[in-house]
Amino acid sequence: MTTINRPVDGPYRITTEPIPTGVILDVEAFVQGVVTDVVELLLTDEFADRLDGLYDMQARNPHLIERPGDLPFEGLVDDLVGAVRTKLPVYGRQCGRLAERLLVLSLAGQLRSLADRRHATAAQRAEGGAAA
C-alpha cells in the first residue's frame, strides 16, 4: 500500500513533501539509478579516457578562453547526460496517486500562502492604525 508521502512506490519510489511555494519530489531511487549508469559509463574505455583527460587538464592556464564546444568537462557532462536515464516512469494507478498528492500539497500550500498574506496585511493595518 502506498503511503500519503510516497504516492509512487515503483518502479522508482517518489516521495512528496510540501513546501510554502509548492512541493518537493524526492526521486532518490531514480537518482541512484542515474549515478549507477554514470559510474558504469566511467568504467568504459571511452568515458574513462575522457575523465583521465580532465585530470590532466587541471593544471591548464585558467585564463585560457575556450568556446563552449571545446570545454572537456561540460562536453563530458553533456555526453553522460545523453547516455543515462533521464525519464522517470510512473505507471497506472500510481499516476493518479501522484497527481492527487501533488494537487493536495499544492492546494494546501496555496491556502497557507493566502493565510500568510492575509495575516501580513492585517498586521500592517494594525501597525498603521497604531501609528496614526
Side-chain angles (χ1 to χ4, degrees):
M1 181 95 186
T2 303
T3 60
I4 294 271
N5 69 335
R6 188 187 317 157
V8 176
D9 54 17
Y12 299 101
R13 289 178 312 281
I14 301 173
T15 59
T16 55
E17 178 184 338
I19 58 174
T21 56
V23 178
I24 291 175
L25 297 180
D26 183 346
V27 294
E28 180 181 350
F30 179 72
V31 171
Q32 178 77 33
V34 172
V35 171
T36 299
D37 290 347
V38 170
V39 171
E40 287 173 353
L41 287 166
L42 290 174
L43 294 175
T44 65
D45 290 339
E46 176 189 358
F47 289 105
D49 291 344
R50 292 174 66 186
L51 185 61
D52 288 343
L54 288 177
Y55 286 124
D56 294 341
M57 293 180 64
Q58 288 181 346
R60 289 182 1 161
N61 178 354
H63 303 292
L64 182 65
I65 298 174
E66 297 184 69
R67 296 175 306 197
D70 295 337
L71 299 173
F73 180 86
E74 288 77 0
L76 179 57
V77 168
D78 288 345
D79 290 344
L80 286 168
V81 168
V84 300
R85 63 191 91 189
T86 60
K87 296 185 180 184
L88 180 61
V90 180
Y91 302 120
R93 287 185 285 172
Q94 293 179 5
C95 290
R97 287 196 298 260
L98 180 59
E100 288 171 3
R101 183 66 177 151
L102 292 175
L103 181 61
V104 166
L105 293 176
S106 176
L107 292 174
Q110 290 174 20
L111 289 173
R112 279 191 304 276
S113 179
L114 180 61
D116 290 347
R117 284 194 301 255
R118 286 186 177 168
H119 179 71
T121 301
Q124 288 173 348
R125 286 185 187 145
E127 289 175 12

